[in-house]
mmCIF file of all heavy atoms in Angstrom:
data_model
loop_
_atom_site.group_PDB
_atom_site.id
_atom_site.type_symbol
_atom_site.label_atom_id
_atom_site.label_comp_id
_atom_site.label_asym_id
_atom_site.label_seq_id
_atom_site.Cartn_x
_atom_site.Cartn_y
_atom_site.Cartn_z
ATOM 1 N N HIS Y 822 222.919 30.215 181.204
ATOM 2 C CA HIS Y 822 222.261 30.945 180.126
ATOM 3 C C HIS Y 822 220.807 31.230 180.497
ATOM 4 O O HIS Y 822 220.162 30.458 181.177
ATOM 5 C CB HIS Y 822 222.288 30.132 178.838
ATOM 6 C CG HIS Y 822 223.655 29.717 178.416
ATOM 7 N ND1 HIS Y 822 224.580 30.610 177.912
ATOM 8 C CD2 HIS Y 822 224.274 28.518 178.426
ATOM 9 C CE1 HIS Y 822 225.686 29.967 177.625
ATOM 10 N NE2 HIS Y 822 225.535 28.687 177.934
ATOM 11 N N THR Y 847 207.151 20.699 168.618
ATOM 12 C CA THR Y 847 206.627 21.727 167.711
ATOM 13 C C THR Y 847 206.957 23.108 168.262
ATOM 14 O O THR Y 847 206.089 23.837 168.696
ATOM 15 C CB THR Y 847 205.102 21.587 167.537
ATOM 16 O OG1 THR Y 847 204.493 21.675 168.827
ATOM 17 C CG2 THR Y 847 204.730 20.292 166.879
ATOM 18 N N LEU Y 851 209.425 33.063 167.719
ATOM 19 C CA LEU Y 851 208.378 34.074 167.756
ATOM 20 C C LEU Y 851 208.639 35.214 166.764
ATOM 21 O O LEU Y 851 207.734 35.955 166.422
ATOM 22 C CB LEU Y 851 208.255 34.644 169.167
ATOM 23 C CG LEU Y 851 207.889 33.641 170.260
ATOM 24 C CD1 LEU Y 851 207.980 34.292 171.627
ATOM 25 C CD2 LEU Y 851 206.515 33.075 170.021
ATOM 26 N N VAL Y 862 218.846 17.523 174.907
ATOM 27 C CA VAL Y 862 218.264 17.153 176.202
ATOM 28 C C VAL Y 862 216.799 16.746 176.142
ATOM 29 O O VAL Y 862 216.270 16.244 177.119
ATOM 30 C CB VAL Y 862 218.432 18.278 177.253
ATOM 31 C CG1 VAL Y 862 219.873 18.488 177.588
ATOM 32 C CG2 VAL Y 862 217.778 19.553 176.823
ATOM 33 N N ILE Y 873 208.185 10.939 186.165
ATOM 34 C CA ILE Y 873 207.491 11.798 187.126
ATOM 35 C C ILE Y 873 205.966 11.707 187.006
ATOM 36 O O ILE Y 873 205.248 12.033 187.955
ATOM 37 C CB ILE Y 873 207.981 13.254 187.015
ATOM 38 C CG1 ILE Y 873 207.763 13.972 188.333
ATOM 39 C CG2 ILE Y 873 207.304 13.986 185.895
ATOM 40 C CD1 ILE Y 873 208.627 15.160 188.547
ATOM 41 N N GLY Y 881 197.799 13.377 192.754
ATOM 42 C CA GLY Y 881 196.419 13.694 192.396
ATOM 43 C C GLY Y 881 195.418 12.783 193.082
ATOM 44 O O GLY Y 881 194.400 13.243 193.614
ATOM 45 N N LYS Y 897 183.907 12.220 191.588
ATOM 46 C CA LYS Y 897 183.451 12.159 190.192
ATOM 47 C C LYS Y 897 184.302 13.041 189.266
ATOM 48 O O LYS Y 897 184.176 12.971 188.058
ATOM 49 C CB LYS Y 897 181.993 12.618 190.111
ATOM 50 C CG LYS Y 897 181.068 11.921 191.077
ATOM 51 C CD LYS Y 897 180.365 10.768 190.436
ATOM 52 C CE LYS Y 897 179.301 10.181 191.319
ATOM 53 N NZ LYS Y 897 179.801 9.345 192.382
ATOM 54 N N PRO Y 899 187.694 14.213 187.338
ATOM 55 C CA PRO Y 899 188.916 13.540 186.879
ATOM 56 C C PRO Y 899 190.134 13.904 187.744
ATOM 57 O O PRO Y 899 190.297 15.045 188.168
ATOM 58 C CB PRO Y 899 189.102 14.065 185.453
ATOM 59 C CG PRO Y 899 187.752 14.527 185.036
ATOM 60 C CD PRO Y 899 187.065 14.994 186.285
ATOM 61 N N ALA Y 908 197.324 21.243 192.989
ATOM 62 C CA ALA Y 908 198.782 21.077 193.049
ATOM 63 C C ALA Y 908 199.462 21.729 191.851
ATOM 64 O O ALA Y 908 200.550 21.309 191.447
ATOM 65 C CB ALA Y 908 199.128 19.596 193.128
ATOM 66 N N ARG Y 921 214.483 25.551 182.144
ATOM 67 C CA ARG Y 921 215.841 25.932 182.560
ATOM 68 C C ARG Y 921 216.871 24.953 181.995
ATOM 69 O O ARG Y 921 217.937 25.351 181.535
ATOM 70 C CB ARG Y 921 215.920 25.994 184.079
ATOM 71 C CG ARG Y 921 217.287 26.458 184.544
ATOM 72 C CD ARG Y 921 217.270 27.010 185.921
ATOM 73 N NE ARG Y 921 216.529 28.269 185.901
ATOM 74 C CZ ARG Y 921 215.824 28.722 186.919
ATOM 75 N NH1 ARG Y 921 215.768 28.039 188.033
ATOM 76 N NH2 ARG Y 921 215.184 29.852 186.841
ATOM 77 N N LEU Y 923 216.494 23.093 179.257
ATOM 78 C CA LEU Y 923 216.565 23.305 177.807
ATOM 79 C C LEU Y 923 217.445 24.494 177.451
ATOM 80 O O LEU Y 923 218.243 24.428 176.524
ATOM 81 C CB LEU Y 923 215.168 23.508 177.224
ATOM 82 C CG LEU Y 923 214.378 22.252 176.928
ATOM 83 C CD1 LEU Y 923 212.945 22.605 176.561
ATOM 84 C CD2 LEU Y 923 215.025 21.475 175.807
#
Side-chain angles (χ1 to χ4, degrees):
H822 305 288
T847 58
L851 299 173
V862 294
I873 205 158
K897 309 264 188 283
R921 183 159 291 149
L923 277 171

